[in-house]
Amino acid sequence: MINIALQGAEFFAYHGFYPEEQKLGCRFVVDIEVSFVPPEGLNDEDLDNSVDYEKLYIIACEEMKHPRKLIETVGQSITDRIKNKYPFIESIRVIVKKLNPPLMGKVAHSSVIINYPSAK
């Protein structure tokens, strides 16, 4: 089993339930972790037998550009695109953190964690 991770990818985006959040935007951090068994092994150093973390970043970047009311939806969209791009992946963990969410007090971040397959 191989694990590949992309940690701390930062984005400015317009996700949020309230109109002010969708207008002003906010900083977000995305972490992605995937686990898989290479379909053909890794002895030939062929990137097609692995997960390209640059592609993971591009998927996250593209999904962060589409404003949504819930960061849960953002995390699920990222997860779904990774599953479609790399069908041999056995597990995916996506964490979307909203930095300094607009609350009544100081909060470092709120977050959502999407796991595939989901725990039952």
Side-chain angles (χ1 to χ4, degrees):
M1 181 78 64
I2 293 178
N3 298 313
I4 290 183
L6 186 66
Q7 301 289 328
E10 294 188 29
F11 303 94
F12 189 87
Y14 297 89
H15 309 301
F17 186 78
Y18 300 104
E20 302 83 32
E21 295 176 291
Q22 296 168 18
K23 182 178 179 182
L24 298 174
C26 187
R27 289 178 40 238
F28 294 84
V29 173
V30 176
D31 299 329
I32 301 171
E33 300 173 19
V34 300
S35 298
F36 63 98
V37 174
E40 302 292 327
L42 289 176
N43 293 329
D44 61 1
E45 295 192 27
D46 186 350
L47 196 52
D48 289 337
N49 294 323
S50 188
V51 174
D52 183 347
Y53 56 80
E54 182 179 16
K55 298 279 193 281
L56 296 179
Y57 178 83
I58 290 168
I59 288 170
C61 186
E62 289 173 351
E63 291 304 320
M64 293 301 288
K65 289 179 183 177
H66 299 290
R68 295 182 176 94
K69 288 186 176 183
L70 301 176
I71 58 175
E72 292 89 328
T73 308
V74 178
Q76 187 63 55
S77 295
I78 293 170
T79 302
D80 291 343
R81 287 205 40 205
I82 293 169
K83 286 190 302 191
N84 289 333
K85 175 84 176 152
Y86 299 102
F88 56 86
I89 286 180
E90 295 184 15
S91 69
I92 304 169
R93 180 179 177 99
V94 174
I95 304 172
V96 180
K97 300 174 189 172
K98 183 177 213 171
L99 304 182
N100 303 306
L103 300 171
M104 295 174 87
K106 183 173 170 77
V107 175
H109 70 268
S110 58
S111 66
V112 62
I113 301 171
I114 305 293
N115 289 303
Y116 166 82
S118 60
K120 294 183 180 187

